[in-house]
Amino acid sequence: MAVGSEINPNDAISSAQKVELLFFGQLKERLKCSKLSLEITQPLTISELKLRLVSQYPHWQPWLEERELLAALNQTMSSSDEIVKAGDELAFFPPVTGG
């Protein structure tokens, strides 16, 4: 698994066993990562997936555990108990404010 702005092209595991993660806004800047491909062996809730990310990248904990962090599963706003399966796309982003 690669951390950075692009998915690791050298990863030999089929994309069918992976979840594509996208990070937007200030979250992308804080994590220094816009896109990540994560291998999963079984469906996980969004909360479980965030815990897994924190276990792999402990320095991401303050940002991924923000209460206001939003998630969109396959481009649909989702709650933390939604199930993420291989082949899904999950995007995280901070709340949007406007004026």
Side-chain angles (χ1 to χ4, degrees), residues 14 37 78 83 85 98:
S14 166
S37 184
S78 301
I83 302 294
K85 302 177 298 297

Side-chain angles (χ1 to χ4, degrees), residues 12-13 15 20 27 34 36 47 49 51 53 59-60 64 68 81 85 93 98:
I13 298 172
S15 63
E20 300 301 320
L27 182 64
S34 62
L36 176 68
S47 291
L49 193 142
L51 289 174
L53 286 171
H59 58 287
W60 287 10
L64 292 178
E68 296 84 20
D81 60 348
K85 302 177 298 297
F93 49 95

Side-chain angles (χ1 to χ4, degrees), residues 6-78:
E6 297 295 328
I7 296 171
N8 183 354
N10 297 322
D11 201 336
I13 298 172
S14 166
S15 63
Q17 298 175 339
K18 294 181 177 181
V19 174
E20 300 301 320
L21 303 173
L22 305 172
F23 306 99
F24 293 101
Q26 291 181 345
L27 182 64
K28 176 176 77 174
E29 296 170 14
R30 291 175 176 160
L31 301 180
K32 297 182 176 30
C33 179
S34 62
K35 193 182 278 188
L36 176 68
S37 184
L38 180 69
E39 179 185 353
I40 62 170
T41 57
Q42 61 186 20
L44 303 169
T45 65
I46 292 174
S47 291
E48 292 169 333
L49 193 142
K50 288 194 312 187
L51 289 174
R52 184 166 164 192
L53 286 171
V54 167
S55 73
Q56 292 181 339
Y57 306 101
H59 58 287
W60 287 10
Q61 183 175 10
W63 317 120
L64 292 178
E65 292 185 350
E66 280 189 20
R67 187 178 174 144
E68 296 84 20
L69 185 65
L70 301 174
L73 180 61
N74 298 321
Q75 301 183 6
T76 300
M77 296 302 298
S78 301

